[in-house]
Amino acid sequence: MMAARQKYAAYFDRIEKDNAEIKAYRTISREQALEALVDNKSPFPVVFSDLISTRGIRTTANSRMLDNYIPPFDATVVERVRKAGGVILGKTITREFGVGETENPYGTCAAVAHGEGILGFAADHRGDIHAGAREYGLFAYSPSYGIVSRYGVIPVASSMDRVGILAGSFAKIPVAMDMVAGQDERDGTTFPGDADFQTLEDMDLQSVRPAVINGTAGFSERLNLPMAEVLLESLPYALPAHEILSSGEFATNMERYDGIGFGYRAGEYDSVEELYKKSRTAGLGREVQKKIISGNFCLSEGKYEPYYVQAMKARTMVKEEIEKRLESHEFLLAPVDLRYTAALYLAGLPVISMPFGEVGLLITSRAFNDRRLLAFAWQIVSRLESEE
Amino acid sequence: MMAKNYETVMGLEVHVELKTNTKMFCNCSTAFGGKPNEHTCPVCLGLPGATPVLNEKALDLAVTAGLATNCQIRRVGRQDRKNYFYPDLAKGFQTSQGDGPICYGGYLDIETAEGKKRIRINRIHIEEDAGKLVHEEGLGSLVDNNRAGVPLVEIVSEADLRSAEEVLAYLHKLRAILTYTGVSDARMNEGSFRCDVNLSIREAGEERFGTRVEMKNLNSFRSIQRAIEYEAARQIRTVEEGGELFQETRGFSQDSGKTYSMRTKEDAADYRFMPEPDLMPIVITEEKIRELTDGLPELPDARKDRYIEEYGLGHYDAEQLISSIELATFFEAAVSAGADPKAAANLIITDLFRLTGAEEFQVDMAPEDLAKIIEMVDTGRINLGSARKVLEIMFANPARTPENIVVEENLEQINDRELLSPIIDEVLARSAKAVREYQAGKEKALQAIIGQVMGQTRGRANPQLTIDLLREKIGWPMGPVCVRAEN
Ligand SMILES: [Zn+2]
């Protein structure tokens, strides 16, 4: 206990010293962390992005709107991580509500990269955590949509939002999955899915017939692994469709921030209408307001069919095409790029990314095939490590 | 100029609270009342990230409502977000259903004095209730979210209704179906049965619909009737005077008895419906439909047919009796306690309805006591007028027994010639004018004399015996007379 206290005190000293420079933490929770060490047999350091609700620890979505919001409940992922011994160092910087201005879009990555052995959980809706991981040299994992609960995750684009795992080494990802994966009765969109991620099977890389999307990045050569190339013709539709659908969902998810029940409220107003307007204008940043406006545009009368419905069709098209490719190739590889992650988030597929040269390496597989995807990724990681 | 003939065209939107123990998307209680915000949690307070999980029981009840009103049931459906800002709407959207309601294309049959009529049901969809704004002196407006997230169905009829009487018959029948099947308590006074009326007028024979006005905040059957009558007259008057009608939403003031404009079509919100991404598609299996169909109780119409066939009641009376499950149960219990069905139906419809008021049928007296009262009439112990008096006293004080009331209030019928004869002589002695008039052929005069006898005996004279005695004393030139035991 004493040793643990000293170790964590050292974490916090370093964090407090460096945070202004690394721009990782929005809220540092030293006191709560020291409390969490009491009777904790297997403590480990963990950070959550500020889009994930933590009971008793301020959760702001990096927004003035929620600057004073202390959730009365834990997100399911937080609850599960705390139960496993997780000691929360703090809440990390995100884009405002996952989409807006920020001092660092990859605060969670910065926190994980900054301290030894820190595990990070960050919510995102487009795969931005993989871009961050590439930048900070980390491993990132977005489990299949529906096997990690979204309960307590501040919604941005609900049908794409996921809690991703960030770590400095691959080995931490299966450990983290064992903590957080599994159906949650408070999130009706979750499923039982795989379990027991720490005993990954051996896999013969050749026989599982991996393929490279759109023939990119010379992965075959670098990995010394002959791979087929597959084309994704619908890929150009992925980002636009993602933009329209996520904006629509974002707009309605943001309606609750009206200055009435909780969050920022404008000081002076003459009517409820004015209270809404002033609170939202002052409480939300420009980019957030723009996304709300474009989302409402796409949902409004006369625009819903040509925009929203078309985007839903494009989503189905993208999803079906990727799933078709995955029928013949269990695993698909691509560089870390928002075009790919947006497509994979639209399709709800699992994504792992790892530091791999300039471009990074991203691997996906069929929905709910998380355990085999991690087994495959582990083989790739071993191969890369043995090469070095 | 001849006044034109107008027809009132109405369709109803009825919001019904489903009878579940917990709310639609969380485990909070749906109990009516409670301290403000006592029944709330992160989900129904709309806290960020608190995801909803659909209450299966609410779904079953909604499907049951559809099956009991002859609807088609959608096998794969979804829920939508209906977006609008209002302080009592914590999430800023109501989870509802847009163009894919869970039930559609049904009907129910109503019975009015004009006969039977079929009213089509366009759709039934599920949605959640909003919270409530409370205005407190000194504190301003406060939000109570106890009702937020309570499961509802909205039942939308086609524009098949043509009179206030039809509207009330439809509402009573709908309410009967919902209470029989356990879908809802359907209590108007607790807000678990709320009705909006869409009303337009057109010239008789015209096929096109007129400009539609939606009337809200109608919180009793009486208000509904008054609002319809006022609004139809207002629209006709406006058109007759060369004015123009607007598509608008109007409220009804109970004080003035008038409707007033709340908002026009131009102010109407664009609800920006979109599929609710936090909820999985609703899938209704054949097995589920079979299970719910098998679980349906005897429905009001079946019960009505039984009353007509077994008890020989008229269609209209039978329709009145089946209008609530409590009432029908009360009636049947009285019959099985030995009451003559027709006599029981008469007393209930003419007297108990008047006592309970039109809104809710609620009596604390035992049905056996009603049977007892009817038996006392049959045996001549009391007359019908006294029976009504006993009923009235019992209604106010159900702990008393009919026997006790009859004795203590001295209501026993006077069946004894020797007792009644001198009373009649006395009445005749001071009614010489009436007797003369009667003997000159004025029937009304006899009624006055009988009334005097009844008054003298406080309604206790045996009516038949009274007539017999009068016949003996002053003759009977007029043939049979209708005798009513008034008091
Ligand atoms: Zn609740």
Side-chain angles (χ1 to χ4, degrees):
Chain A
M1 174 76 190
M2 277 310 291
R5 283 187 78 92
Q6 279 169 7
K7 184 179 156 195
Y8 280 86
Y11 269 125
F12 283 110
D13 291 345
R14 248 191 100 216
I15 290 168
E16 280 161 8
K17 181 163 74 70
D18 297 342
N19 195 38
E21 188 190 329
I22 62 172
K23 298 185 176 65
Y25 291 86
R26 169 96 170 165
T27 302
I28 298 166
S29 48
R30 183 192 278 261
E31 263 170 50
Q32 290 97 330
L34 295 182
E35 264 169 45
L37 285 172
V38 179
D39 296 330
N40 189 338
K41 292 191 179 62
S42 52
F44 59 91
V46 57
V47 295
F48 289 95
S49 81
D50 219 15
L51 287 167
I52 300 175
S53 301
T54 41
R55 178 165 53 194
I57 304 176
R58 194 171 73 120
T59 300
T60 73
N62 238 60
S63 180
R64 183 180 187 194
M65 179 57 82
L66 291 181
D67 207 36
N68 60 0
Y69 176 59
I70 299 175
F73 66 106
D74 268 336
T76 297
V77 283
V78 174
E79 190 181 276
R80 290 181 178 179
V81 167
R82 284 202 212 245
K83 212 170 151 203
V87 177
I88 301 169
L89 302 180
K91 305 299 292 293
T92 49
I93 294 172
T94 63
R95 289 182 186 280
E96 185 185 4
F97 280 106
V99 307
E101 294 104 321
T102 177
E103 51 276 52
N104 182 1
Y106 309 127
T108 315
C109 297
V112 171
H114 175 253
E116 191 70 28
I118 296 174
L119 188 59
F121 292 90
D124 82 328
H125 65 289
R126 193 176 56 167
D128 292 50
I129 65 161
H130 297 283
R134 186 188 61 195
E135 208 169 302
Y136 282 85
L138 303 173
F139 290 83
Y141 187 51
S142 305
S144 296
Y145 185 88
I147 74 164
V148 174
S149 171
R150 288 181 298 115
Y151 184 79
V153 176
I154 294 180
V156 176
S158 309
S159 74
M160 298 155 225
D161 285 342
R162 293 202 227 175
V163 176
I165 300 163
L166 287 152
S169 69
F170 175 81
K172 281 211 148 48
I173 288 173
V175 178
M177 279 299 281
D178 273 344
M179 284 180 231
V180 300
Q183 193 162 25
D184 177 11
E185 58 176 25
R186 291 172 296 189
D187 176 357
T189 60
T190 55
F191 297 88
D194 288 342
D196 202 8
F197 292 92
Q198 287 179 70
T199 51
L200 295 174
E201 62 198 286
D202 268 334
M203 200 178 276
D204 175 24
L205 288 184
Q206 293 289 352
S207 66
V208 296
R209 298 170 28 86
V212 179
I213 299 175
N214 291 4
T216 37
F219 289 137
S220 286
E221 298 74 18
R222 277 290 313 273
L223 293 168
N224 191 24
L225 178 67
M227 283 184 282
E229 291 181 6
V230 296
L231 275 180
L232 281 187
E233 287 173 357
S234 62
L235 195 65
Y237 298 103
L239 262 179
H242 187 283
E243 186 58 32
I244 290 169
L245 296 175
S246 66
S247 298
E249 292 185 16
F250 185 68
T252 82
N253 280 326
M254 294 301 289
E255 298 231 330
R256 74 192 67 211
Y257 308 107
D258 55 7
I260 303 281
F262 54 90
Y264 178 81
R265 176 185 287 192
E268 285 177 21
Y269 45 87
D270 290 328
S271 65
V272 181
E273 190 73 22
E274 198 180 301
L275 164 64
Y276 294 149
K277 283 183 183 162
K278 284 190 166 177
S279 302
R280 286 165 71 81
T281 302
L284 300 173
R286 248 191 100 70
E287 288 303 312
V288 167
Q289 292 185 29
K290 269 159 71 176
K291 189 148 177 119
I292 291 172
I293 290 168
S294 56
N296 279 327
F297 172 83
C298 296
L299 293 176
S300 60
E301 211 179 317
K303 302 294 186 290
Y304 183 75
E305 290 288 330
Y307 288 88
Y308 209 76
V309 171
Q310 285 302 311
M312 286 195 284
K313 284 182 186 158
R315 178 182 199 165
T316 306
M317 189 171 76
V318 169
K319 183 168 184 276
E320 284 175 354
E321 193 186 7
I322 301 174
E323 281 170 349
K324 191 148 189 297
R325 300 288 168 260
L326 284 168
E327 274 172 27
S328 29
H329 305 282
E330 190 178 353
F331 305 104
L332 294 176
L333 286 69
V336 174
D337 182 305
L338 280 185
R339 278 182 310 149
Y340 296 112
T341 55
L344 298 173
Y345 270 52
L346 281 178
L349 301 174
V351 185
I352 185 158
S353 70
M354 52 188 76
F356 182 87
E358 285 278 292
V359 294
L361 169 61
L362 170 159
I363 312 170
T364 189
S365 186
R366 299 162 194 158
F368 303 113
N369 198 31
D370 294 72
R371 206 160 167 278
R372 277 182 61 82
L373 172 59
L374 288 179
F376 176 78
W378 180 42
Q379 299 282 333
I380 297 283
V381 172
S382 310
R383 183 168 286 215
L384 286 171
E385 280 171 356
S386 66
E387 268 179 17
E388 282 162 7
Chain B
M1 195 179 81
M2 264 265 294
K4 289 176 192 150
N5 218 345
Y6 291 94
E7 177 181 52
T8 309
V9 177
M10 287 170 286
L12 302 185
E13 291 168 20
V14 181
H15 287 87
V16 178
E17 253 178 33
L18 297 173
K19 201 173 172 178
T20 58
N21 295 324
T22 57
K23 290 187 180 179
M24 187 139 163
F25 300 118
C26 60
N27 285 324
C28 292
S29 165
T30 54
F32 183 75
K35 281 180 288 182
N37 296 304
E38 187 179 353
H39 305 305
T40 59
C41 73
V43 174
C44 53
L45 289 176
L47 293 187
T51 40
V53 179
L54 182 62
N55 181 342
E56 297 262 340
K57 171 86 187 203
L59 198 59
D60 287 357
L61 292 177
V63 173
T64 300
L67 293 171
T69 51
N70 313 292
C71 284
Q72 306 291 309
I73 309 296
R74 195 173 302 275
R75 299 305 199 266
V76 181
R78 64 156 201 251
Q79 293 167 86
D80 299 287
R81 291 183 180 181
K82 180 179 178 182
N83 297 287
Y84 63 94
F85 282 105
Y86 202 72
D88 68 7
L89 191 66
K91 290 182 294 182
F93 58 81
Q94 179 193 34
T95 306
S96 179
Q97 292 191 291
D99 49 19
I102 186 160
C103 316
Y104 56 96
Y107 64 84
L108 56 78
D109 293 329
I110 60 170
E111 186 95 41
T112 64
E114 320 231 303
K116 188 167 153 176
K117 182 170 173 181
R118 177 155 294 182
I119 309 298
R120 291 168 301 154
I121 289 171
N122 175 289
R123 59 183 279 165
I124 301 177
H125 70 255
I126 52 172
E127 62 186 27
E128 57 178 337
D129 209 346
K132 196 174 76 179
L133 279 183
V134 185
H135 305 283
E136 286 272 336
E137 198 66 44
L139 289 170
S141 298
L142 304 171
V143 184
D144 177 3
N145 276 307
N146 281 349
R147 303 321 290 161
V150 168
L152 304 175
V153 282
E154 181 176 335
I155 302 170
V156 183
S157 84
E158 299 287 359
D160 288 348
L161 298 151
R162 297 289 177 271
S163 68
E165 192 198 2
E166 286 184 6
V167 167
L168 295 188
Y170 171 87
L171 290 173
H172 279 294
K173 179 56 78 66
L174 185 60
R175 199 167 70 148
I177 291 170
L178 297 170
T179 49
Y180 277 49
T181 50
V183 168
S184 174
D185 288 333
R187 293 202 180 105
M188 225 173 207
N189 53 358
E190 290 182 4
S192 61
F193 188 85
R194 310 191 287 256
C195 175
D196 299 339
V197 178
N198 291 312
L199 184 150
S200 63
I201 54 150
R202 63 184 175 192
E203 276 180 53
E206 172 67 61
E207 302 233 325
R208 282 170 306 167
F209 290 119
T211 303
R212 193 183 74 173
V213 162
E214 183 179 13
M215 291 191 286
K216 284 187 177 296
N217 297 350
L218 308 171
N219 44 27
S220 68
F221 288 116
R222 180 96 189 97
S223 296
I224 291 168
Q225 180 166 5
R226 290 169 71 202
I228 289 170
E229 284 162 1
Y230 175 84
E231 178 61 18
R234 183 192 72 87
Q235 290 189 16
I236 291 169
R237 194 172 59 238
T238 306
V239 169
E240 290 273 286
E241 289 168 357
E244 197 184 341
L245 293 168
F246 302 99
Q247 193 174 330
E248 60 182 341
T249 302
R250 295 177 76 87
F252 174 71
S253 160
Q254 295 195 46
D255 295 338
S256 69
K258 294 178 178 175
T259 64
Y260 58 91
S261 184
M262 291 168 76
R263 56 181 176 270
T264 61
K265 190 177 176 238
E266 285 68 42
D267 307 330
D270 176 356
Y271 291 121
R272 293 159 286 135
F273 274 95
M274 62 160 271
E276 167 57 271
D278 282 332
L279 292 163
M280 299 300 287
I282 293 173
V283 179
I284 313 273
T285 60
E286 300 307 316
E287 197 192 335
K288 173 61 87 182
I289 289 178
R290 218 173 308 124
E291 181 196 317
L292 294 173
T293 308
D294 290 348
L296 287 176
E298 183 189 35
L299 290 172
D301 277 342
R303 205 176 272 233
K304 177 177 156 189
D305 291 344
R306 190 156 58 78
Y307 289 1
I308 295 166
E309 253 168 56
E310 278 181 32
Y311 303 145
L313 300 185
H315 283 76
Y316 187 68
D317 284 356
E319 179 95 355
Q320 307 295 307
L321 289 175
I322 54 101
S323 68
S324 101
I325 185 84
E326 288 88 2
L327 169 56
T329 308
F330 182 86
F331 167 72
E332 286 186 29
V335 170
S336 49
D340 171 62
K342 281 187 182 168
N346 275 335
L347 271 182
I348 289 172
I349 293 169
T350 52
D351 292 272
L352 269 186
F353 274 11
R354 179 174 49 81
L355 293 168
T356 59
E359 305 296 327
E360 305 280 340
F361 181 82
Q362 209 176 17
V363 287
D364 293 324
M365 66 180 280
E368 292 75 16
D369 288 337
L370 181 69
K372 179 74 191 165
I373 294 170
I374 291 166
E375 185 204 307
M376 292 197 285
V377 175
D378 284 349
T379 57
R381 179 120 185 262
I382 57 175
N383 63 31
L384 199 56
S386 297
R388 290 178 163 156
K389 214 179 253 174
V390 176
L391 199 60
E392 200 163 316
I393 293 167
M394 288 227 56
F395 181 79
N397 190 351
R400 297 181 68 177
T401 64
E403 177 65 39
N404 161 287
I405 295 169
V406 166
V407 173
E408 288 197 3
E409 311 290 328
N410 195 16
L411 294 172
E412 261 170 292
Q413 186 163 260
I414 302 171
N415 297 322
D416 189 338
R417 284 181 75 92
E418 306 309 314
L419 275 176
L420 198 52
S421 189
I423 297 172
I424 291 180
D425 288 340
E426 199 188 316
V427 168
L428 291 175
R430 57 181 152 82
S431 309
K433 187 175 168 233
V435 172
R436 267 197 316 277
E437 280 176 8
Y438 166 68
Q439 283 167 339
K442 207 169 163 196
E443 191 195 341
K444 246 189 170 167
L446 182 67
Q447 296 291 2
I449 296 169
I450 294 171
Q452 290 251 6
V453 174
M454 284 298 172
Q456 195 71 23
T457 59
R458 291 179 42 253
R460 292 162 57 223
N462 181 324
Q464 194 53 53
L465 184 59
T466 306
I467 291 166
D468 290 349
L469 285 168
L470 280 172
R471 177 185 287 165
E472 290 166 16
K473 292 174 199 289
I474 57 173
W476 197 254
M478 301 297 295
V481 190
C482 169
V483 176
R484 289 179 304 139
E486 299 277 3
N487 46 19

